Amino acid sequence: MLDNMSMQKRMILATVFSLLFFVVYALLFPPQPLPQAQTAQEQQAKQTAAPQVKTANDTKKSVTAKTSGNTEATLVTLDAEGFTMKIDSLGRISSKVMKGHKYTDENENPVEVVNQYLMPKPLEVRFNDSELNKEAFTTAYSADVSTASVSADRPVQVTMTQKLSSVTLTKKITFYADGHYDVNIELSDEKRFFLAPGFRPAVDVDGFTIHGALVETSNDIVNILEDGEVSKLESYKGVRIASAFDRYYATMFYAPKGNLSIVVSPSTDGQENPILFVEGDKLMNFHGYIGPKEYATLNAIQPFLTDALEYGFFTWISAPMFWLLQWLFNLVGNWGWAIVLVTIITRIVLYPLSYKGMVSMHKLKQIAPLMKDIQKKHKGDPQKLNAAMMALYKKHGANPLGGCLPLLLQIPIFFAIYRVLLNSIELQDAEWILWINDLSNMDPYFILPIIMGATMYYQQKITPTNFTDPMQEKIFKFLPLIFTLFFFTFPAGLVLYWAVNNILTIIQQMIVNKKFDSMDAAKAKAERES
């Protein structure tokens, strides 16, 4: 039965849905601590048997073998305007430290995207033959460069050679100032091996953001393998992007032709986190990237790399939403004002539907006395009550769900914007006005959440309602306070969006109220004169 009370319940459920989602999510997926640093002895003790990979010719082949837990000596040091990188004596990128205040952690320390505790390291080679692999992890590379400066107009090529008993491996890596690099690998003889883009960064890992691995094939199919979800070996052919990522940073291999063969192995620490490997050839060429997941940077390197920006379930809304946000930022030069403009545009797009919802709510308020009379008249007869109420709705052109639909449509948009503002490193260290100097963090003085709560309260106050249940009305009135408290910890950019959205809703509601007040006054005047 679609009566007034059920309509009000739907309204309340729709309103609190967004809040309950985050509350439940926070309880089920609390923030996870960053991986603890391990000593060399602890790492050595945790080496386990290799994962297996099935191929057409072999039933089972080993991908992973024992690695050295000791910190290797630095072979090459590269310095650029945006980073400092080190390559160890095993030909692996052992450290990459970002430069600039934007790329600092909560303690104002420079972010180290790659560090000694994350295994495997980028460009780490693992041979399928266990004896050869053991030799490879105890034989140092030689390099033609020990130190070099990388600039925008001067990339640096580093040639590293490892001479083993049965094969010589040569890595020619060209590093660029924007964080990407070209890879050329050559073996003197056919040997099956695998190369790692590196374990995912651990700069910002918690229960509210997505982190793990992303594999995109040449047919544009994106596969997300989150931490804790990989229990067995998986393989992918025709891969264009293989990315290991946390909230803001990624280390990846990519090939524009989509000709990489990728193996995803579960980590050997019991956490079932994905570890990526690309299957090697005697002679192979591809590309890599280590650094922040910034849209402009990835797009400048290769436009398809922006596919590595993942926002979870609502990516289909979040991706175009971020594109619009980026376009507006390029227009106004400020991320805060870009958020304001995105909110205005969203309201304009939803205006026809939200207007109909407001009109419907006003009509429901007008016929509320008639609805109460019908409820009294047909009390105890649900069928007659439902039929009478539907006839009343039809006569007055009222839609009992009209007020809920605009709110329901805003929920996926809210989640999409939430993901954009939570995962976009562009907002980190981004100022808006006055006291808001980082839109990716909470408002330090809680001014925006209070404004959001106040506007939400006033919006409720001027919105027509016709509650028949006092308890529902009390719950509805407490929502602004509950939302305000919860939004205290939200990114300032998200709170800004919600507050501006409330203000625009208030303006729209005032226009609708004024229109109906004029119509009611004219109707009352006509009735008096007749």
Side-chain angles (χ1 to χ4, degrees):
M1 183 182 70
L2 190 59
D3 59 10
N4 180 48
M5 184 174 294
S6 63
M7 185 276 292
Q8 295 291 357
K9 288 180 179 178
R10 286 185 178 89
M11 260 192 54
I12 291 181
L13 287 175
T15 304
V16 302
F17 178 77
S18 56
L19 175 65
L20 292 179
F21 175 87
F22 290 110
V23 173
V24 173
Y25 194 89
L27 292 174
L28 294 179
F29 306 101
Q32 302 170 0
L34 294 178
Q36 296 296 316
Q38 297 176 323
T39 63
Q41 291 77 14
E42 289 174 329
Q43 289 183 326
Q44 189 83 27
K46 287 190 175 182
Q47 302 303 325
T48 59
Q52 305 295 313
V53 58
K54 296 180 181 179
T55 67
N57 301 322
D58 306 289
T59 304
K60 291 183 178 179
K61 291 291 183 180
S62 172
V63 175
T64 317
K66 184 177 179 181
T67 66
S68 171
N70 297 320
T71 302
E72 303 298 331
T74 298
L75 184 66
V76 180
T77 300
L78 300 175
D79 190 66
E81 182 181 357
F83 63 84
T84 297
M85 179 185 291
K86 294 182 180 180
I87 301 174
D88 65 19
S89 60
L90 293 182
R92 311 173 300 183
I93 298 174
S94 57
S95 173
K96 182 167 184 178
V97 179
M98 303 299 298
K99 294 180 180 179
H101 185 266
K102 180 177 181 178
Y103 309 112
T104 56
D105 61 20
E106 56 190 16
N107 298 316
E108 300 295 322
N109 297 317
V111 163
E112 190 172 15
V113 183
V114 178
N115 62 55
Q116 61 176 319
Y117 303 110
L118 299 177
M119 293 286 189
K121 293 180 171 65
L123 297 178
E124 182 171 304
V125 172
R126 300 191 179 187
F127 286 97
N128 195 61
D129 182 284
S130 59
E131 290 301 316
L132 181 61
N133 193 68
K134 183 177 180 180
E135 181 186 359
F137 275 91
T138 55
T139 303
Y141 281 72
S142 61
D144 64 344
V145 174
S146 59
T147 60
S149 295
V150 183
S151 60
D153 57 352
R154 197 180 79 174
V156 172
Q157 184 181 86
V158 178
T159 301
M160 297 175 286
T161 305
Q162 186 183 47
K163 294 183 178 182
L164 304 174
S165 58
S166 60
V167 67
T168 297
L169 187 152
T170 302
K171 297 179 182 177
K172 291 182 180 179
I173 317 295
T174 303
F175 295 94
Y176 298 83
D178 57 10
H180 88 279
Y181 54 93
D182 301 332
V183 181
N184 176 281
I185 297 213
E186 184 175 356
L187 270 65
S188 62
D189 194 10
E190 292 280 358
K191 298 292 180 180
R192 191 161 187 246
F193 72 96
F194 297 85
L195 193 71
F199 191 74
R200 62 126 177 87
V203 179
D204 200 333
V205 180
D206 57 38
F208 299 103
T209 56
I210 298 174
H211 38 85
L214 177 148
V215 177
E216 182 186 72
T217 54
S218 55
N219 55 1
D220 297 327
I221 295 178
V222 176
N223 304 274
I224 302 297
L225 302 102
E226 295 188 44
D227 283 351
E229 294 184 352
V230 179
S231 58
K232 62 179 181 179
L233 212 65
E234 300 182 30
S235 60
Y236 300 87
K237 300 293 184 182
V239 172
R240 190 163 61 171
I241 302 174
S243 170
F245 64 92
D246 68 1
R247 178 183 180 183
Y248 287 141
Y249 299 89
T251 174
M252 68 178 76
F253 286 159
Y254 63 94
K257 295 182 180 180
N259 56 356
L260 297 179
S261 295
I262 298 295
V263 175
V264 184
S265 167
S267 59
T268 58
D269 57 2
Q271 299 299 314
E272 297 188 342
N273 296 334
I275 300 178
L276 298 171
F277 296 93
V278 60
E279 191 165 359
D281 291 322
K282 184 179 179 182
L283 179 64
M284 62 188 307
N285 298 276
F286 57 94
H287 311 275
Y289 174 79
I290 300 173
K293 296 187 295 180
E294 292 177 328
Y295 182 93
T297 300
L298 296 177
N299 187 62
I301 296 171
Q302 285 282 353
F304 71 84
L305 289 182
T306 58
D307 294 346
L309 301 174
E310 176 60 33
Y311 303 105
F313 179 77
F314 289 100
T315 296
W316 59 283
I317 304 178
S318 297
M321 190 72 72
F322 177 79
W323 179 90
L324 176 60
L325 191 67
Q326 175 84 42
W327 184 82
L328 291 170
F329 168 75
N330 292 335
L331 192 66
V332 300
N334 182 284
W335 286 105
W337 291 119
I339 292 172
V340 172
L341 291 175
V342 161
T343 313
I344 294 173
I345 293 172
T346 303
R347 292 299 306 182
I348 292 173
V349 171
L350 293 176
Y351 177 81
L353 196 58
S354 59
Y355 177 79
K356 288 182 180 179
M358 290 178 177
V359 170
S360 180
M361 289 296 297
H362 196 94
K363 289 182 178 180
L364 288 172
K365 182 181 179 181
Q366 286 181 322
I367 65 174
L370 299 176
M371 292 171 66
K372 290 181 180 180
D373 292 340
I374 291 175
Q375 288 172 341
K376 291 179 182 179
K377 182 178 179 180
H378 298 289
K379 186 177 181 181
D381 193 339
Q383 290 185 346
K384 288 185 178 180
L385 175 61
N386 189 50
M389 292 187 69
M390 293 304 293
L392 183 65
Y393 293 146
K394 186 176 181 180
K395 179 180 178 181
H396 292 272
N399 183 357
L401 295 180
C404 301
L405 192 56
L407 185 60
L408 289 172
L409 284 177
Q410 286 186 57
I411 290 174
I413 294 175
F414 170 74
F415 286 152
I417 291 179
Y418 170 77
R419 278 297 176 189
V420 167
L421 300 183
L422 192 67
N423 287 68
S424 299
I425 192 171
E426 286 84 353
L427 299 183
Q428 194 168 33
D429 214 30
E431 298 181 354
W432 178 40
I433 56 173
L434 301 176
W435 72 100
I436 302 297
N437 51 27
D438 188 346
L439 288 164
S440 69
N441 279 327
M442 58 185 282
D443 183 337
Y445 304 111
F446 310 117
I447 296 174
L448 270 181
I450 292 173
I451 293 174
M452 187 280 303
T455 54
M456 187 176 182
Y457 169 78
Y458 187 71
Q459 175 192 337
Q460 282 188 2
K461 187 175 181 180
I462 66 172
T463 300
T465 57
N466 56 333
F467 289 102
T468 57
D469 186 343
M471 181 57 68
Q472 291 178 13
E473 187 173 8
K474 288 181 180 179
I475 293 174
F476 198 71
K477 286 182 177 180
F478 270 104
L479 284 180
L481 177 61
I482 296 172
F483 268 64
T484 300
L485 295 175
F486 200 74
F487 271 56
F488 275 168
T489 59
F490 273 29
L494 182 67
V495 185
L496 174 62
Y497 161 78
W498 198 268
V500 174
N501 186 69
N502 287 347
I503 293 170
L504 295 174
T505 304
I506 288 171
I507 295 172
Q508 186 178 352
Q509 187 69 62
M510 290 175 69
I511 293 173
V512 172
N513 289 352
K514 186 175 181 180
K515 177 181 177 180
F516 272 92
D517 288 344
S518 299
M519 291 173 60
D520 292 344
K523 184 179 178 181
K525 182 179 179 180
E527 289 176 352
R528 287 195 303 268
E529 294 176 351
S530 62

